[in-house]
């Protein structure tokens, strides 16, 4: 194809302030993003609510993250909301920075402008020089299987994702 090689665009899926983010655990299956948003909004302005879900079933694993605009509001919500009952189950609320499960959310990178000859294995090889790659995914056309020229990489920590951005953003990534 005549696609001109473009410089890779690499960016974090979002810059989350770890210190202003709460980990919320022991969630009932009926709890969704809206419910957490409404509940935690009582403690201060909420920037983001994320409940990791199973890609196939759409079910969550009983935990999520609430990011506040300020660390004070996050601290306050831990005092106020910890052990509050949602659908009869007491929720656990603590600082996300102290919970290892936050890493899967924060260390995900979006990789854009990929050449079509770049596959998952190659992406993993390039990015594994910066740390442990948990997953590498290239988005493809469901019918033809051809690359849509972008994908995602997950690291197990922020240091790795940060150094990958510094080293590779704006570089040419191709399979040649």
């Amino acid at each position: 194809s005549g696609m001109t090689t473009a410089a890779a665009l690499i960016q974090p899926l979002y810059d989350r302030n770890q210190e202003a983010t709460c980990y919320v655990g022991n969630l009932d299956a009926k709890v969704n993003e809206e419910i957490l948003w409404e509940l935690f909004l009582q403690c201060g302005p909420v920037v983001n609510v994320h409940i990791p879900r199973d890609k196939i079933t759409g079910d969550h694993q009983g935990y999520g993250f609430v990011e506040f605009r300020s660390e004070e509001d996050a601290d306050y919500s831990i005092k106020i909301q910890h052990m509050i009952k949602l659908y009869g189950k007491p929720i656990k609320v603590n600082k996300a920075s102290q919970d290892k499960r936050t890493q899967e959310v924060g260390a995900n990178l979006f990789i854009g402008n990929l050449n079509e000859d770049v596959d998952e294995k190659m992406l993993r090889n390039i990015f594994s020089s910066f740390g442990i790659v948990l997953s590498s995914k290239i988005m493809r056309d469901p019918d033809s299987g051809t690359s849509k020229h972008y994908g995602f990489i997950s690291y197990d920590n922020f240091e790795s994702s940060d150094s990958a951005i510094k080293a590779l953003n704006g570089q040419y990534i191709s399979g040649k």
Side-chain angles (χ1 to χ4, degrees):
S1 88
M3 180 183 163
T4 55
T5 307
L9 170 75
I10 303 174
Q11 56 195 40
L13 288 184
Y14 53 86
D15 273 336
R16 193 149 46 89
N17 177 355
Q18 286 290 82
E19 295 307 318
T21 303
C22 296
Y23 163 84
V24 188
N26 200 36
L27 298 177
D28 184 271
K30 292 190 281 291
V31 175
N32 61 19
E33 285 79 359
E34 286 73 20
I35 291 169
L36 283 190
W37 195 284
E38 291 289 319
L39 177 66
F40 282 86
L41 202 52
Q42 298 166 31
C43 295
V46 172
V47 179
N48 196 0
V49 173
H50 176 73
I51 302 178
R53 293 179 182 276
D54 183 285
K55 299 209 171 30
I56 314 296
T57 65
D59 299 333
H60 63 71
Q61 274 85 59
Y63 68 94
F65 303 98
V66 176
E67 180 186 353
F68 286 97
R69 194 168 295 158
S70 78
E71 297 174 22
E72 293 73 27
D73 292 338
D75 293 337
Y76 178 62
S77 82
I78 290 168
K79 290 194 189 81
I80 304 291
Q81 311 283 20
H82 184 61
M83 302 311 277
I84 273 188
K85 285 190 173 160
L86 276 184
Y87 296 108
K89 287 174 78 170
I91 61 172
K92 296 194 174 77
V93 185
N94 57 40
K95 211 47 151 323
S97 52
Q98 291 152 4
D99 190 280
K100 61 184 190 313
R101 272 173 291 198
T102 54
Q103 296 166 341
E104 66 172 294
V105 188
N108 291 344
L109 297 178
F110 167 86
I111 326 283
N113 292 341
L114 288 172
N115 258 8
E116 42 214 54
D117 57 0
V118 176
D119 61 13
E120 278 80 0
K121 185 165 180 272
M122 197 174 302
L123 204 59
R124 180 181 286 269
N125 287 345
I126 293 167
F127 282 86
S128 60
S129 53
F130 302 98
I132 294 163
V133 173
L134 300 180
S135 70
S136 67
K137 182 161 179 56
I138 288 175
M139 304 313 287
R140 299 182 177 282
D141 181 285
D143 303 321
S144 63
T146 55
S147 168
K148 291 184 172 177
H149 310 295
Y150 70 95
F152 301 95
I153 286 279
S154 298
Y155 285 108
D156 68 348
N157 66 69
F158 284 101
E159 285 77 335
S160 301
S161 58
D162 289 345
S163 42
I165 293 172
K166 284 196 188 79
L168 295 174
N169 193 29
Q171 300 299 309
Y172 295 103
I173 297 178
S174 88
K176 298 187 178 59

